Amino acid sequence: MSQPVPAASLSGKTVLVTGSSRGIGADTARYLAQAGANVVINFRNKAPRAEKLATELRELGVEVLTVGADLTDPASVSEMFSAVADRFGSLDILVLNASGGMEGGMAEDYALTLNRDAQVGALEAALPLMPAGGRVVFVTSHQAHFIHTTPTMPEYEPVARSKRAGEDALRERIPALTDKGVEFVVVSGDMIEGTITATLLERANPGAIAERRESAGKLYNVSEFAAEVARAAVEPVPADNTRLIGDTASFGV
């Protein structure tokens, strides 16, 4: 893996990445640990995988805490941040990466509960630990970010709308975050090859990934997009609080 964030630039800082036992979250945690950050790995139900990643990151010389928490359960979220406070005392960077809504067997409102309510809940639980100079990074997709102006695949639309609702709810808190000295940035990417969402979309709509790849010219893979998320955690925040990753020509920018 390349190193998108300068080595030692986050030395002494603590970061928490939600949904970081695998995929984009795991690679984001790797990049931030490479830059010297102490890392909190959040997972819902894959403790062995989270511990395996933690062992890998500790070899970089950083401290790592693994915390199982269901973001849709406020009590579970509260316990997670209590564990962060006990271990590190503060939290400098919160990466809101965990999302979903295409899983089977979930309640009808699960996508909105996870992609909006849980995101706001995690932010509010984290804020008391975040000092001035802290940063919140919200990870989303172009299909969700632009859903008000550009239709997406019917199979993904409920998730896209719920993620946009989450983004909007978080943006409403920018003035309060600014008053506290905490920065906020949205990282929006095109379809990411190799993610669970892409796999589920392909299963529901065979050929969707190839069609989008042909239209965009290139799709980022998990590692490439995670590098952009890691950069968003440290580089200056754009005036519109938004970093667009990948092709946007077919979206209503």
Side-chain angles (χ1 to χ4, degrees):
M1 296 173 71
S2 60
Q3 190 163 302
V5 180
S9 62
L10 291 176
S11 181
K13 303 290 187 181
T14 299
V15 306
L16 186 155
V17 183
T18 63
S20 49
S21 67
R22 64 182 175 186
I24 293 167
D27 277 357
T28 299
R30 285 188 179 95
Y31 288 130
L32 297 175
Q34 287 174 3
N38 298 318
V39 178
V40 182
I41 299 171
N42 160 248
F43 63 96
R44 187 174 67 179
N45 54 18
K46 301 292 184 182
R49 189 162 54 195
E51 290 298 338
K52 181 179 179 181
L53 176 61
T55 298
E56 173 191 332
L57 300 190
R58 289 186 185 112
E59 293 176 357
L60 299 171
V62 301
E63 291 189 56
V64 183
L65 174 66
T66 61
V67 185
D70 180 349
L71 298 187
T72 66
D73 177 2
S76 180
V77 171
S78 178
E79 290 174 5
M80 175 170 69
F81 286 107
S82 291
V84 175
D86 290 344
R87 178 70 173 272
F88 298 111
S90 63
L91 179 66
D92 299 284
I93 298 170
L94 172 65
V95 180
L96 295 170
N97 164 74
S99 64
M102 294 193 70
E103 304 89 337
M106 296 296 187
E108 186 176 345
D109 62 349
Y110 177 71
L112 199 59
T113 299
L114 175 59
N115 296 330
R116 182 192 65 189
D117 302 343
Q119 307 302 317
V120 173
L123 172 59
E124 292 180 344
L127 266 182
L129 298 178
M130 300 190 75
R135 184 172 299 185
V136 178
V137 181
F138 176 67
V139 181
T140 189
S141 66
H142 289 351
Q143 288 74 22
H145 180 70
F146 294 108
I147 189 60
H148 295 326
T149 56
T150 306
T152 189
M153 289 171 282
E155 298 85 358
Y156 189 63
E157 183 171 349
V159 175
R161 292 197 177 279
S162 68
K163 284 184 68 66
R164 181 67 217 206
E167 178 182 337
D168 291 342
L170 292 168
R171 285 183 183 274
E172 289 175 2
R173 285 154 175 78
I174 290 176
L177 293 174
T178 301
D179 288 345
K180 187 176 169 60
V182 174
E183 297 177 311
F184 174 80
V185 61
V186 171
V187 182
S188 176
D190 202 345
M191 267 186 209
I192 310 300
E193 300 213 52
T195 61
I196 293 171
T197 297
T199 300
L200 292 173
L201 279 172
E202 184 67 22
R203 189 177 302 162
N205 188 352
I209 302 301
E211 182 179 341
R212 182 60 202 152
R213 188 190 307 115
E214 182 177 353
S215 173
K218 166 188 168 59
L219 293 180
Y220 280 61
N221 63 31
V222 167
S223 178
E224 290 169 335
F225 184 66
E228 297 295 340
V229 176
R231 290 187 184 98
V234 298
E235 292 181 353
V237 175
D240 63 353
N241 301 88
T242 309
R243 292 172 68 109
L244 300 175
I245 310 302
D247 177 68
T248 59
S250 59
F251 295 93
V253 181

